[in-house]
Amino acid sequence: MSMVNRIAVFLLSLLLAVPFQAHADDSSPRIVVQNLCGGLLQSMKQAAQLGFQGRADKLTKVVTDSYDMPAATKATLGTSFAKLSADEAHQLTDAFTRFSIASYADQFDGWDGEAFEVGDPRPSTDGTVIVPSRIVNKAGQGTEIDYLLHQNGDRWQIVDVLLDGTISQTAVRRSEFVSIFRRDGFPGLIGMLNQKIAAMAAK
């Protein structure tokens, strides 16, 4: 084989390798959201057998892998987060993580033919990306659930969810959390989260 042919074969092999590497990269924004949706779908299909606690246990790894929980927790308290001690910040992150997992276990509590569709990422602000997704019922009606991701080290992770494509879940929670923190302090905020988790588990 001539030198020119060897170079052509080498370049072709590189071109063919690119799609495979992009697909195999389980830390890419789209794959992160696909993994989360896949975990949710499995939990939904086994909802009756698992029960609330079983769903929460099953979802723990996929949620904590998919989300940058320290960053998401900080965002829910905004500038008030700076008032916390290191130990309080750790406690709040733990409580908010448990609350987030419980919320998924509570909201995705059954399956009736629903499917998830995940689209291609698009750039957002400050180096973040938005990955659009929809949950589609068996009648073909869809609800938009878009995910905002940033790079945490060498990984992409979720930091916010946009309901109906526009409503920031973080902004909604910040309004509630900051109000409670200002009124009842750190113990009140932790108490509220634990109460919400217990109420979801008791349904």
Side-chain angles (χ1 to χ4, degrees), residues 2 13 53 79 133-134 154 157 180 195:
S2 71
S13 71
Q53 191 57 54
T79 57
S133 81
R134 296 200 312 155
D154 60 352
Q157 290 185 303
I180 292 171
Q195 287 173 7

Side-chain angles (χ1 to χ4, degrees), residues 64-136:
T64 54
D65 283 349
S66 301
Y67 278 82
D68 183 348
M69 277 302 178
T73 304
K74 183 177 180 180
T76 61
L77 207 54
T79 57
S80 295
F81 191 85
K83 299 177 182 179
L84 302 181
S85 68
D87 183 58
E88 287 173 337
H90 177 77
Q91 289 183 55
L92 182 59
T93 299
D94 175 70
F96 184 66
T97 299
R98 290 186 290 106
F99 168 73
S100 299
I101 293 165
S103 296
Y104 271 120
D106 178 55
Q107 293 167 12
F108 294 86
D109 60 349
W111 184 71
D112 188 26
E114 295 88 354
F116 290 92
E117 298 175 352
V118 180
D120 292 324
R122 63 179 185 268
S124 188
T125 58
D126 299 324
T128 61
V129 299
I130 292 175
V131 177
S133 81
R134 296 200 312 155
I135 181 168
V136 183

Side-chain angles (χ1 to χ4, degrees), residues 153-173:
D154 60 352
R155 304 173 63 191
W156 285 95
Q157 290 185 303
I158 300 165
V159 288
D160 196 5
V161 181
L162 306 177
L163 306 176
D164 292 326
T166 57
I167 303 169
S168 165
Q169 190 175 65
T170 295
V172 172
R173 286 174 171 167

